[in-house]
Amino acid sequence: MPENSAFSQRLLLWFAQYGRKDLPWQQDPTPYRVWVSEIMLQQTQVNTVIPYFQRFIEVFPTLDSLARASLDEVLQLWTGLGYYARARNLHRSAQQVQTDFNAQLPQDLSLLQSLPGIGRSTAGAILSLAYGQRQAILDGNVKRVLCRYQAVDGWPGKTQVSQQLWTLADDLMSYTQAAEYTQAIMDLGATLCTRTRPSCALCPQKNYCQAHQLGQEALFPTPRPRKTLSVKQVYMLMLKNANDEIFLQRRAELGLWGGLWSFPECTEEADIYTWCWEELKRPVPHYQLWPAFRHSFTHYHLDIIPVHIQWADSVQEADEIPSDACWINIEHAEDIKGGLPAPILRLLQALKKTF
């Protein structure tokens, strides 16, 4: 029996007995539901995604309902899931599918990849799981399985190593059970062939896995070359008035936390007075610096210094505020349409304790 066929048969037999078959997007695997789940699962674990997926599908059960929604509504449901570009791309893609593809997700790999936020692996997963096409995938779990199985040397992010893994992913894939194979290899990486402390004794490929035979599972995949991340610093202005209202401002759609609501920011402490006067026409009576904390992204660290500013008077309707901003009662701030980044949620919860 060819090795590729033996690999897939071992994997499928294992999946039939131990694989995950009760995930919410598996119960009615329409192309739309599969697509939403695959976007949410990018860089996010299954257990984290499940409640977000269920709430999202309850509000937007069809591609049409998502396409007709506002971006604010989409981002609000995404709050806390992170990587918000995924939500913006999902929304844009739904609108593009409506206009360019007659409200049907394309069944062609290249056309599917033309949609925002859908790369080769995500497109392959959608076509395999939703349409049963034989399309290989190469997400983080699959890369780990294949790197260990063939003891593939080199960081998977390198072009040459990536090409090698794509060839291997296609060679090993089942020719007859594409959807089951795709789910099976993802499950293997997520449940047994984990990043740390893999459960090799339970793995259906243990007798054929080169890394396991060498006793070097921990060496594969080769980790990303370490680099020193840059550090940025920002002062976040937590403005509060006598009505127990706080000031929030919508961020530009492009860039960090695009389209979400946040506190105003200054790069220098001296700019706090300037911002309040230029934007709100209000002097700053005094302010309190809270302890700084760090929020890390893929390419840099963001050191956030919260600035608590309390005004003794209330805000009048005639007061000028930027068009992309609002005063909102702190008890309702977390429900604002458009969503809030995780650090802002953290600060809001801390602010509530000061009331």
Side-chain angles (χ1 to χ4, degrees):
M1 179 184 297
E3 173 55 26
N4 63 339
S5 178
F7 178 92
S8 64
Q9 286 197 15
R10 290 191 296 267
L11 182 60
L12 289 167
L13 286 172
W14 170 83
F15 176 72
Q17 187 170 1
Y18 301 107
R20 296 178 292 189
K21 305 177 184 68
D22 57 353
L23 299 173
W25 45 87
Q26 293 175 318
Q27 305 316 303
D28 181 19
T30 65
Y32 171 71
R33 289 167 62 91
V34 169
W35 170 45
V36 171
S37 69
E38 286 301 316
I39 298 300
M40 287 187 168
L41 287 165
Q42 291 173 348
Q43 298 177 287
T44 308
Q45 294 183 346
V46 166
N47 289 339
T48 301
V49 165
I50 287 175
Y52 283 92
F53 175 84
Q54 291 172 325
R55 288 193 295 268
F56 197 91
I57 291 298
E58 183 177 351
V59 177
F60 306 124
T62 63
L63 189 148
D64 178 68
S65 62
L66 175 58
R68 288 186 287 105
S70 69
L71 180 58
D72 277 351
E73 292 173 307
V74 175
L75 289 173
Q76 183 178 19
L77 287 173
W78 210 273
T79 293
L81 193 57
Y83 299 101
Y84 292 93
R86 295 180 299 173
R88 297 193 296 273
N89 286 333
L90 189 69
H91 186 236
R92 285 169 47 213
S93 292
Q95 295 174 332
Q96 188 173 332
V97 170
Q98 285 283 80
T99 57
D100 296 350
F101 299 108
N102 197 28
Q104 300 294 321
L105 273 179
Q107 297 187 42
D108 175 82
L109 186 67
S110 296
L111 290 178
L112 198 52
Q113 286 182 255
S114 72
L115 296 173
I118 300 183
R120 180 177 175 183
S121 185
T122 299
I126 295 169
L127 294 177
S128 174
L129 296 171
Y131 296 114
Q133 289 188 25
R134 188 182 182 277
Q135 299 285 356
I137 69 166
L138 199 61
D139 67 1
N141 287 323
V142 176
K143 287 177 184 177
R144 189 166 54 252
V145 169
L146 298 183
C147 281
R148 287 173 175 166
Y149 186 72
Q150 289 284 6
V152 176
D153 194 25
W155 176 49
K158 288 185 175 180
T159 300
Q160 185 176 358
V161 179
S162 178
Q163 291 173 343
Q164 181 182 354
L165 290 173
W166 273 112
T167 299
L168 185 58
D170 185 67
D171 286 346
L172 295 178
M173 188 173 186
S174 170
Y175 279 87
T176 58
Q177 295 176 265
E180 292 86 350
Y181 176 92
T182 296
Q183 187 63 57
I185 197 166
M186 289 192 295
D187 282 4
L188 186 68
T191 62
L192 296 186
C193 195
T194 50
R195 187 172 61 87
T196 59
R197 302 179 64 183
S199 303
C200 297
L202 303 176
C203 179
Q205 312 292 356
K206 62 180 180 293
N207 294 330
Y208 309 90
C209 173
Q210 293 185 30
H212 181 61
Q213 298 305 311
L214 294 170
Q216 296 179 344
E217 298 91 342
L219 300 182
F220 299 94
T222 302
R224 177 196 295 266
R226 294 189 71 119
K227 65 177 181 179
T228 301
L229 298 182
S230 62
V231 178
K232 300 180 182 180
Q233 178 178 282
V234 67
Y235 291 85
M236 286 195 170
L237 312 187
M238 304 183 299
L239 312 174
K240 178 178 174 290
N241 64 36
N243 294 336
D244 289 343
E245 293 172 325
I246 57 163
F247 186 87
L248 293 177
Q249 193 165 26
R250 190 199 302 272
R251 302 179 68 92
E253 285 198 16
L254 296 179
L256 176 66
W257 298 326
L260 301 182
W261 291 85
S262 182
F263 293 118
E265 296 178 4
C266 296
T267 56
E268 302 290 340
E269 185 175 354
D271 295 334
I272 295 172
Y273 295 96
T274 304
W275 189 95
C276 289
W277 183 251
E278 290 185 351
E279 298 294 334
L280 300 180
K281 304 298 185 288
R282 283 171 167 258
V284 178
H286 68 276
Y287 61 83
Q288 179 185 15
L289 297 181
W290 286 12
F293 65 95
R294 175 166 290 184
H295 188 79
S296 295
F297 300 93
T298 304
H299 301 297
Y300 67 94
H301 300 297
L302 181 64
D303 285 346
I304 297 172
I305 304 173
V307 183
H308 188 205
I309 301 174
Q310 173 71 63
W311 279 299
D313 61 334
S314 60
V315 178
Q316 304 300 319
E317 291 184 4
D319 287 352
E320 292 185 21
I321 63 171
S323 59
D324 58 350
C326 70
W327 288 95
I328 186 171
N329 188 284
I330 194 166
E331 295 298 332
H332 306 296
E334 293 182 26
D335 299 322
I336 192 170
K337 282 190 175 181
L340 300 155
I344 306 306
L345 282 171
R346 172 179 172 177
L347 290 174
L348 284 174
Q349 291 161 3
L351 270 174
K352 287 182 180 180
K353 296 177 182 178
T354 69
F355 279 43

